[in-house]
Amino acid sequence: MLGLMQDQPLAISSLIEFAARHHHDGQIVSRRVEGDIHRYTYREAAARSRQVAAALDRLGLAFSERVATLAWNGYRHFELYFGIAGSGRVVHTLNPRLAPEQLVWIANHAEDRVIAFDLSFLLLIKAVWRQCPTVKHWIALCEPGALPSDSGIDGLQSYEAWIAGQSDTYAWPVFDEKSAAILCYTSGTTGNPKGALYSHRSTLLHAWAVALPDAISLSARDSILPVVPMFHVNAWGIPFAAAMTGARLVFPGAALDGKSVYELLESERVTMAAGVPTVWLMLLNHVKQNGLKFTHMRRTLIGGSACPPAMIKSFRDDYDVTVLHGWGMTEMSPVGTVCNLKLAQLALEPDAQLAILAKQGRALFGVEMRIVGPDGRELPWDGQASGDLHVRGPWIVSGYFRGEGGDPLVDGWFPTGDVASIDADGFLQITDRSKDVIKSGGEWISSIDIENVAVAHPAVAMAACIALPHPKWGERPLLVVVKKPGAEVSRDDLLHFYTGKVAQWQVPDDVVFVETIPLGATGKMQKNKLREQFKGHRLPG
Ligand code: AMP
């Protein structure tokens, strides 16, 4: 016997319509690439999203065709998300931090029909547009008056002219909730990029789960600033969760330095922000150097790479801001876990709480996890055993766009490529990417643990720990360090700093100081480049 409930497909268009109906005067604030602050409401965002949908119909785009964006976080990008997906096309977010040849490869693989881009990327578009034969329409996210007359790009038009005159009473089509909605390519360090293709259903379920109290607890009482870009895994789904809850949205545009982000947090009375550790490093430095504090911000979601415990502690003890440490990946839409304490843990001492809060947290309902050993057998959840992390659930990939890379699943589970332990309370701790783990004399050293100690040193801005080949131990750790401007620390001092913090055999064999550590397009340290750079480095002893 079937239940007697209405069978309504989950649709991304329903999110913006809900926001417009129930939070019609809820604000969306954007720092525009033009430099000024733009404000409007969910009602206006919905109307303009419908105009985008109508404009795509007018272009004659078929169901499921790809419409790409190359843009910062801002209101036009937000409208495109809903207009493209809501009308049955697929939003394909391009990452402007990729090399031009990678962008071309991805746009061709996706067979994009339209690319909408911020004018700050005009030079990039000029360099690549001829190599994207499937793209028939180029749309600059600007007023007609700002459109360069000499761009040379065939069919270039301004976004505002493109949607002007389109009806804002567009009736959203109804279709299967499993239809493709959003395409995000992974920033794989080997092989070709692979496309994770989210559906309407997976996107809504993910937004629902992310908004829950034990995830980021988003509500109509929040003002949220996603520093994490909309061109990287949909800004972790925040635009959708915000529309679902009616949270006020504050978009930072292209100004992601500590000073600009801080000013926006304060002037827009932001209660919650989200970003990768490198961004918060810049923010904390700015705040510390200038003796500032956060007047409104009470929590921040940090993920994308491991958040050092020193950062979590500083936010908590110096600024009264709770860090929600989250973990996920493009293949998981992206959020898998968020770290929030359980009731019994509220009674623990601050240091004991910190030890838990430094972990990547507990699975959202909908994400199943397991850790397996080298023999493929499942390992216990005891906080000690660490193995390959597998996940499954309704917002986790079952395969990649156009079958790239073959079937990724193992017995129905997606192997994340991360190595982790899980404790008895279900708190996940990522110890490494499997390719970054350091295998020394049959034991594993977590590069993340070693880096976390280094960045707790007051003179260290950034640290990466990589494996170097070793005749006796197989591999030994080398620490690569960027010092804070004007700060001094010697190799020996830094190595001494490890005493009592990790086992003696885990202390790096050597330290090298560098000006910069290469970061990938999504802000992660590129350890493969460092391994290449230091492959000839001779470890002492
Ligand atoms: P991406 O698909 O580019 O978002 O990268 C996903 C990968 O980033 C994961 O598989 C992890 O290796 C890493 N990652 C994300 N969040 C964290 C975190 N909180 N701690 C450690 N690694 C993380």
Side-chain angles (χ1 to χ4, degrees):
M1 183 164 61
L2 293 177
L4 289 173
M5 292 294 119
Q6 296 177 13
D7 190 11
Q8 282 190 11
L10 301 175
I12 286 176
S13 57
S14 69
L15 290 173
I16 195 68
E17 289 305 328
F18 177 85
R21 185 89 181 106
H22 297 272
H23 305 283
H24 52 89
D25 57 355
Q27 267 200 337
I28 300 173
V29 181
S30 310
R31 192 198 288 278
R32 302 203 302 170
V33 290
E34 292 90 328
D36 57 342
I37 299 283
H38 173 275
R39 295 169 195 281
Y40 74 171
T41 63
Y42 273 116
R43 178 188 281 152
E44 290 165 279
R48 284 166 55 93
S49 304
R50 290 186 220 110
Q51 288 180 295
V52 169
L56 289 169
D57 280 6
R58 161 100 25 131
L59 294 183
L61 252 67
F63 191 68
S64 293
E65 285 204 296
R66 270 74 66 203
V67 178
T69 62
L70 187 72
W72 299 107
N73 293 4
Y75 65 105
R76 291 179 178 128
H77 203 175
F78 182 77
E79 297 157 6
L80 281 162
Y81 267 30
F82 291 96
I84 298 168
S87 67
R89 284 86 188 198
V90 174
V91 187
H92 171 208
T93 48
L94 285 164
N95 184 337
R97 295 191 181 129
L98 293 173
E101 53 277 17
Q102 281 175 301
L103 269 185
V104 167
W105 188 94
I106 290 175
N108 284 323
H109 189 267
E111 296 180 334
D112 293 330
R113 294 280 178 253
V114 182
I115 295 188
F117 62 95
D118 270 331
L119 268 188
S120 43
F121 303 123
L122 181 64
L123 278 183
L124 181 56
I125 294 291
K126 274 184 173 176
V128 301
W129 76 275
R130 285 182 198 281
Q131 298 161 61
C132 305
T134 63
V135 180
K136 302 296 175 212
H137 308 277
W138 299 91
I139 303 201
L141 298 174
C142 64
E143 299 285 346
L147 199 66
S149 52
D150 56 350
S151 75
I153 301 167
D154 287 349
L156 177 67
Q157 55 183 319
S158 86
Y159 178 78
E160 294 301 335
W162 180 56
I163 63 169
Q166 300 296 337
S167 162
D168 65 3
T169 57
Y170 181 86
W172 298 107
V174 178
F175 44 78
D176 188 335
E177 64 181 18
K178 297 200 188 92
S179 304
I182 306 164
L183 179 61
C184 295
Y185 281 75
T186 59
S187 47
T189 46
T190 52
N192 287 329
K194 297 197 271 297
L197 187 58
Y198 313 140
S199 66
H200 286 255
R201 173 186 157 80
S202 70
T203 305
L204 260 79
L205 293 177
H206 176 264
W208 240 313
V210 161
L212 283 173
D214 263 9
I216 69 171
S217 190
L218 198 60
S219 78
R221 292 167 298 288
D222 275 311
S223 184
I224 185 165
L225 188 151
V227 184
V228 52
M230 290 168 73
F231 57 72
H232 180 50
V233 228
N234 306 320
W236 299 344
I238 288 169
F240 301 115
M244 181 176 271
T245 56
R248 183 167 177 273
L249 268 167
V250 182
F251 288 126
L256 302 180
D257 60 287
K259 182 169 181 288
S260 305
V261 172
Y262 176 78
E263 282 171 5
L264 209 54
L265 291 173
E266 287 297 299
S267 62
E268 296 303 327
R269 305 166 79 91
V270 169
T271 57
M272 163 156 206
V276 297
T278 38
V279 162
W280 290 149
L281 198 68
M282 292 193 287
L283 179 73
L284 275 184
N285 281 347
H286 173 75
V287 170
K288 270 186 192 147
Q289 277 162 11
N290 296 286
L292 306 167
K293 62 187 178 62
F294 299 104
T295 322
H296 311 283
M297 185 165 80
R298 285 295 155 262
R299 58 198 198 285
T300 172
L301 176 64
I302 303 186
S305 45
C307 181
M311 184 179 281
I312 301 177
K313 186 173 163 57
S314 177
F315 264 119
R316 182 187 72 177
D317 298 349
D318 305 336
Y319 301 105
D320 198 18
V321 172
T322 302
V323 169
L324 305 171
H325 192 190
W327 165 85
M329 58 198 313
T330 308
E331 286 88 338
M332 301 177 70
S333 304
V335 184
T337 64
V338 180
C339 200
N340 277 288
L341 298 177
K342 289 181 171 179
L343 183 61
Q345 295 164 337
L346 295 179
L348 295 174
E349 292 298 316
D351 280 355
Q353 288 187 343
L354 190 67
I356 301 169
L357 292 170
K359 297 187 176 191
Q360 279 74 4
R362 290 180 282 121
L364 307 186
F365 172 76
V367 174
E368 282 181 80
M369 315 188 286
R370 69 173 189 186
I371 41 173
V372 298
D375 56 1
R377 260 193 259 172
E378 205 174 330
L379 298 171
W381 289 23
D382 59 7
Q384 298 298 321
S386 89
D388 290 323
L389 176 62
H390 292 181
V391 290
R392 64 180 182 192
W395 57 83
I396 295 166
V397 290
S398 59
Y400 290 102
F401 184 50
R402 296 177 56 188
E404 199 69 42
D407 178 4
L409 303 190
V410 177
D411 310 329
W413 294 80
F414 177 75
T416 62
D418 286 333
V419 179
S421 65
I422 304 175
D423 69 20
D425 285 314
F427 285 77
L428 173 80
Q429 181 160 27
I430 303 285
T431 49
D432 245 313
R433 280 304 282 169
S434 56
K435 60 184 181 328
D436 292 339
V437 79
I438 298 149
K439 296 174 189 115
S440 172
E443 296 289 339
W444 287 13
I445 301 174
S446 155
S447 64
I448 294 178
D449 283 353
I450 306 302
E451 289 154 9
N452 281 344
V453 173
V455 294
H457 190 286
V460 174
M462 206 186 276
C465 182
I466 55 169
L468 286 191
H470 190 279
K472 180 167 177 198
W473 301 110
E475 289 176 354
R476 288 296 299 160
L478 170 73
L479 189 67
V480 184
V481 169
V482 180
K483 287 185 226 171
K484 284 188 184 155
E488 263 319 314
V489 60
S490 69
R491 167 192 181 275
D492 291 347
D493 283 348
L494 203 48
L495 292 180
H496 187 65
F497 189 63
Y498 279 88
T499 310
K501 298 189 174 83
V502 298
Q504 201 52 38
W505 61 271
Q506 296 179 328
V507 177
D509 280 18
D510 205 1
V511 180
V512 286
F513 294 99
V514 293
E515 290 298 315
T516 52
I517 288 176
L519 297 180
T522 57
K524 293 185 217 300
M525 297 190 288
Q526 292 182 304
K527 294 193 187 173
N528 51 338
K529 290 213 170 138
L530 289 178
R531 280 191 287 264
E532 183 59 28
Q533 186 178 344
F534 291 104
K535 69 175 181 221
H537 183 87
R538 279 175 63 96
L539 293 172

